[in-house]
Amino acid sequence: MLSLSGRHCIITGGSRGIGLAIAHRFASEGASITLVGRDQTTLDNAVKELPIPLHQGTPPNHGACAFNVKDSSRWSDMVTFMRDAERKVDVLVNAAGISQNSFMFKTSLHQAKEIVDVNLMGTMYGCQLLLPTMMRQKSGKVNRMFDSFITNNKATPGCIINISSLLATHAGRGAAAYAASKAGVVSLTRALAWEAGRFGIRANVILPGYIETDMTKSMSDDDLKALIPMGRLGKVAEVADAAAFLAKNPYAHNTVLNLDGGLSAT
Ligand SMILES: NC(=O)c1ccc[n+]([C@@H]2O[C@H](COP(=O)([O-])OP(=O)(O)OC[C@H]3O[C@@H](n4cnc5c(N)ncnc54)[C@H](OP(=O)(O)O)[C@@H]3O)[C@@H](O)[C@H]2O)c1
């Protein structure tokens, strides 16, 4: 198994919920974390709470970068920031997302576009713009001609973990744009697994069911629990555990991981 100790992880949606839980889990295993969300103060407070176990004698170097993931130019700034700060990108977790609770015919085009922009395009920009950094780390150089890419087998391979949703593959009411955006995230991850795998970079996607976070706070628990074979919503730590497995298992590649208490079986 690979170790997270000494590795650097960028986690979008890191200010709370699933992203923050993944950050805590990775940091507790010695990773240093850069959190991404829209509010710098919230992120700075979240960073202060991250565990700082020692690895190789130095404490992990946690940080935060506030921007809207739907803004591709801010992703480019992030790449420059990581390069200038000489920070590696070993693991990229795309967990930033917004939900929807309205039927398609009642959803404005602006609202539908916003959901796709944040959930799908935000994930795509992160993958597209950080992949060259991850490839360079692995190879020492990025050649425009993929076929002449030189692999440095001693480097630790990079890993992308995208957070999709059960709704990417299963129908749900009032979430058409959300479901479409999350289906896109699954397809994007699979395509990247084929393309980036050749460069030693793994790409995996988690499809959570209903998890206890701000996103599901307004949902009727009893109605929902009755539908879920495990009889309860999932916990953020359980999603973080799945993310840790994907980050550390060197053969986990193109994994499409349902984590829904059995809801996808119904
Ligand atoms: N909870 C569930 O049941 C569930 C189920 C399936 C999939 N998911 C997916 O899991 C991911 C995390 O969800 P969650 O439940 O943890 O939600 P959450 O508690 O509402 O957290 C959402 C996170 O995304 C960030 N975010 C939202 N829009 C952003 C933007 N435009 N730019 C940058 N950051 C943005 C938020 O940060 P700020 O608001 O501070 O900017 C926050 O950190 C999402 O992709 C969601 O679709 C959740």
Side-chain angles (χ1 to χ4, degrees), residues 5 11 29 44 73 85 113 119 122 138 160 170 216-217 249 253-254 257 260 264:
S5 181
I11 303 179
E29 297 196 24
D44 288 342
S73 67
K113 184 175 181 307
N119 294 358
K138 175 76 179 157
I160 293 171
H170 285 69
T216 50
K217 218 160 42 182
N249 188 312
H253 182 48
N254 194 34
L257 201 161
D260 54 30
S264 55

Side-chain angles (χ1 to χ4, degrees), residues 12-20 36-39 42-43 66-71 94-99 114 117-119 123 163-167 178 182 206-216 219 233-234 236 239:
T12 76
S15 65
R16 59 176 188 273
I18 290 171
L20 183 58
V36 176
R38 286 166 296 184
D39 183 67
T42 310
L43 291 173
F67 66 95
N68 194 320
V69 294
K70 71 175 183 177
D71 184 344
N94 286 299
I98 51 174
S99 61
E114 178 75 6
D117 281 350
V118 173
N119 294 358
T123 300
I163 308 296
S164 174
S165 164
L166 167 74
L167 295 182
Y178 180 81
K182 292 298 188 178
I206 302 175
L207 280 65
Y210 291 94
I211 310 298
E212 285 172 4
T213 68
D214 289 354
M215 198 174 265
T216 50
M219 295 181 182
L233 274 68
V236 288
V239 184

Side-chain angles (χ1 to χ4, degrees), residues 59-207:
N61 189 9
H62 303 317
C65 206
F67 66 95
N68 194 320
V69 294
K70 71 175 183 177
D71 184 344
S72 60
S73 67
R74 296 301 309 276
W75 272 110
S76 300
D77 294 345
M78 174 87 177
V79 173
T80 309
F81 167 79
M82 298 301 288
R83 193 187 55 215
D84 292 349
E86 295 184 350
R87 282 193 180 178
K88 295 181 297 165
V89 185
D90 294 310
V91 183
L92 168 64
V93 178
N94 286 299
I98 51 174
S99 61
Q100 177 190 8
N101 188 16
S102 59
F103 286 116
M104 197 63 198
F105 67 91
K106 285 188 174 173
T107 305
S108 70
L109 288 180
H110 173 79
Q111 209 185 338
K113 184 175 181 307
E114 178 75 6
I115 291 163
V116 174
D117 281 350
V118 173
N119 294 358
L120 176 57
M121 296 313 294
T123 300
M124 197 180 307
Y125 295 144
C127 294
Q128 185 173 13
L129 292 165
L130 285 168
L131 256 178
T133 306
M134 296 170 102
M135 287 158 67
R136 202 172 289 117
Q137 279 166 205
K138 175 76 179 157
S139 71
K141 72 172 188 176
V142 176
N143 192 307
R144 271 200 213 142
M145 296 296 295
F146 278 4
D147 285 341
S148 58
F149 193 89
I150 298 165
T151 300
N152 170 7
N153 285 321
K154 285 186 187 153
T156 314
C159 175
I160 293 171
I161 300 170
N162 291 330
I163 308 296
S164 174
S165 164
L166 167 74
L167 295 182
T169 52
H170 285 69
R173 279 177 304 176
Y178 180 81
S181 70
K182 292 298 188 178
V185 169
V186 175
S187 298
L188 168 70
T189 313
R190 284 188 161 140
L192 286 178
W194 202 97
E195 292 184 11
R198 298 182 65 196
F199 306 105
I201 295 161
R202 297 180 295 111
N204 296 294
V205 59
I206 302 175
L207 280 65

Side-chain angles (χ1 to χ4, degrees), residues 227-244:
L227 293 172
I228 302 169
M230 282 293 125
R232 64 172 178 85
L233 274 68
K235 298 184 186 312
V236 288
E238 290 164 338
V239 184
D241 191 51

